[in-house]
Amino acid sequence: MTLRTSRREFLRAASALSVAGTATPFALNLASIGAASAQATGGYKALVCVFLYGGNDSHNTVVPVSAPAHTTYAGARGDLAWQPSELITLNPLTALPGGLQLGLPSQLAPLATLFDNQQCAIVANVGPLIEPTDRTSFLNNSVQKPAKLFSHNDQQSTWQASAPEGATYGWGGRIGDLLASQDGNSTFTTINLSGNAVFLSGQQIQPFQLDANAGAIGFNAIVGNSLYGSGAGANALRTIVTRTHANLMQNELGKVNQRSIDSNAVLSTALTSNPIQPAPPALPVNNSLAKQLEMVAKVIHIRSQLGAARQVFMVSMGGYDTHANQDATHPALLTQLADAIGWWQTTINQLGIANDVTLFTASDFGRALLPNSAGSDHGWGAHHFVVGGAVNGKQIYGAYPELAAGASSDAGNGRLIPTTAVEQYAATMATWMGVARTNLPAILPNLGNFPPHPNLAFMT
């Protein structure tokens, strides 16, 4: 390994720590592309990824209401099936083929309301693909398949970065690389409240880590100017972690630490001095996702103080690996999800920036259509929500699948083969953010396999 390579990899790791594989071979310098292409579109825009860790059962999230589709669904799902009386029927602006009607469980009532208000769309059967795939081509191995299908860690990474665990750059971070030149301080271009995730890592941009309760995560002794009650001790610590060194890597770590201290100070001051007024509605009780979204709303509120024009955020909730006890677990998860997103959109509307901020869901994978004894096993494709004022809402995009074992989109055991690629889903939002179409392949390496229109039109 050359010294140059060692330094670059060290800086990448150190940057991630300061704001606290199988990588797709992106040789392009995305930051240079972004600056050179002058993609500025003015104003402010943000994407907020809500990642549902564990693999959400979308068969019990967006459900057929009308016969015979519900009869087929219920026959496959058995005891897991929702009954029509438990569902809120959706009435999209464009009717679905064959008179199909879909519904949401009552636990998702806030999302049904946003759908009716044209601030929510559903994108059906989304998942990682390398090229278009159906049951025949999947079973006879005539297509390239995503690596390590049905594996949690690998499919989380593939959703976020187009490659399995070990990937280096996520598509949120690559968007940041291309658009960071529009920001006055690129430190705040991508912001993570979700722990360790590749989604927000770019070639140049690294995610700034926030805590849902405290906001900026700093060196406590330095922030408080006291180490065991000693101001001198805090100053000594500051000197130790930021001083210059003859050793290249030690010296770069000191620079990273100094940037972290300075950035945390900027963020903390802005958050303290610019509370949201009037105050948003009370948060849903015991809802960790809502708490994360509250911090995102606070940071978006101070975007001017941060010099932010384009931002990508990531929040998450876990618990969706419902192999067992799904009847009790999954409805509670859907309630938390919908309550948090309902609170979020009310707040964003109140701030007057509904057209500037788009929230979307993602997850490891969907679940298998056919149940096990008390739950559902790992699947592949899944249905997802996109929420915001710029969404072409009250519509269902993509192809809603036939929910029967052995159907054209069944990879086996009712695991849906996606009919919409993550690349298409992501490209639609990246385009809305201001990424030029010619630069989309630099963010989404498989996009060229899905011609001719990568934009799914769910964004204005």
Side-chain angles (χ1 to χ4, degrees), residues 5 11 13 40 303 317 443 454:
T5 302
L11 288 176
R303 60 196 180 279
M317 61 183 296
I443 297 174

Side-chain angles (χ1 to χ4, degrees), residues 83-382:
Q83 297 306 309
S85 60
E86 299 174 296
L87 300 169
I88 302 169
T89 301
L90 301 175
N91 294 294
L93 294 175
T94 302
L96 297 175
L100 175 66
Q101 284 190 295
L102 302 176
L104 303 182
S106 59
Q107 289 81 359
L108 293 179
L111 284 173
T113 299
L114 290 172
F115 188 90
D116 285 342
N117 291 339
Q118 300 186 36
Q119 287 196 313
C120 175
I122 295 168
V123 186
N125 199 14
V126 185
L129 289 171
I130 296 176
E131 57 184 319
T133 303
D134 61 17
R135 178 178 170 85
T136 300
S137 59
F138 178 85
L139 293 178
N140 66 21
N141 294 311
S142 63
V143 291
Q144 297 182 80
K145 304 173 185 177
K148 300 180 181 179
L149 283 170
F150 319 125
S151 157
H152 283 294
N153 291 351
D154 293 294
Q155 295 313 298
Q156 290 163 11
S157 180
T158 302
W159 247 98
Q160 298 175 25
S162 302
E165 187 174 26
T168 307
Y169 312 125
W171 56 267
R174 297 175 206 142
I175 290 174
D177 281 335
L178 284 167
L179 301 181
S181 60
Q182 300 181 41
D183 292 332
N185 186 344
S186 62
T187 299
F188 303 113
T189 299
T190 64
I191 295 181
N192 188 11
L193 288 95
S194 182
N196 186 30
V198 71
F199 174 65
L200 295 177
S201 293
Q203 287 182 312
Q204 305 296 326
I205 294 297
Q206 290 299 311
F208 190 87
Q209 188 74 36
L210 288 184
D211 178 81
N213 295 297
I217 303 170
F219 294 87
N220 289 336
I222 295 174
V223 172
N225 200 33
S226 174
L227 180 62
Y228 298 113
S230 169
N235 288 332
L237 177 61
R238 182 182 294 105
T239 299
I240 290 170
V241 300
T242 63
R243 68 186 177 187
T244 58
H245 293 267
N247 180 281
L248 176 64
M249 292 188 177
Q250 286 180 305
N251 196 57
E252 290 296 336
L253 180 59
K255 292 179 181 179
V256 167
N257 286 338
Q258 185 63 63
R259 287 196 297 270
S260 177
I261 292 168
D262 293 344
S263 298
N264 278 320
V266 168
L267 183 68
S268 295
T269 298
L271 286 171
T272 301
S273 59
N274 296 278
I276 296 176
Q277 296 293 342
L283 283 176
V285 177
N286 297 324
N287 191 313
S288 63
L289 178 60
K291 191 66 179 174
Q292 294 172 62
L293 289 172
E294 179 188 40
M295 182 56 66
V296 174
K298 289 179 178 179
V299 172
I300 290 176
H301 180 60
I302 59 170
R303 60 196 180 279
S304 297
Q305 287 81 6
L306 302 181
R310 294 291 182 274
Q311 290 184 291
V312 186
F313 297 85
M314 184 174 181
V315 298
S316 67
M317 61 183 296
Y320 284 89
D321 195 19
T322 51
H323 288 283
N325 198 33
Q326 180 166 321
D327 279 345
T329 301
H330 194 241
L333 291 168
L334 295 182
T335 297
Q336 291 183 50
L337 175 67
D339 287 351
I341 295 176
W343 178 92
W344 160 262
Q345 197 57 40
T346 297
T347 300
I348 293 304
N349 290 343
Q350 176 182 305
L351 289 172
I353 53 172
N355 291 339
D356 305 323
V357 183
T358 298
L359 175 150
F360 66 96
T361 62
S363 190
D364 316 18
F365 35 61
R367 313 296 296 184
L369 174 66
L370 303 181
N372 59 34
S373 58
S376 54
D377 296 325
H378 298 178
W380 189 355

Side-chain angles (χ1 to χ4, degrees), residues 26 28 436-448:
F26 290 98
L28 299 174
R437 179 167 179 164
T438 53
N439 290 332
L440 290 173
I443 297 174
L444 302 157
N446 300 317
L447 186 62

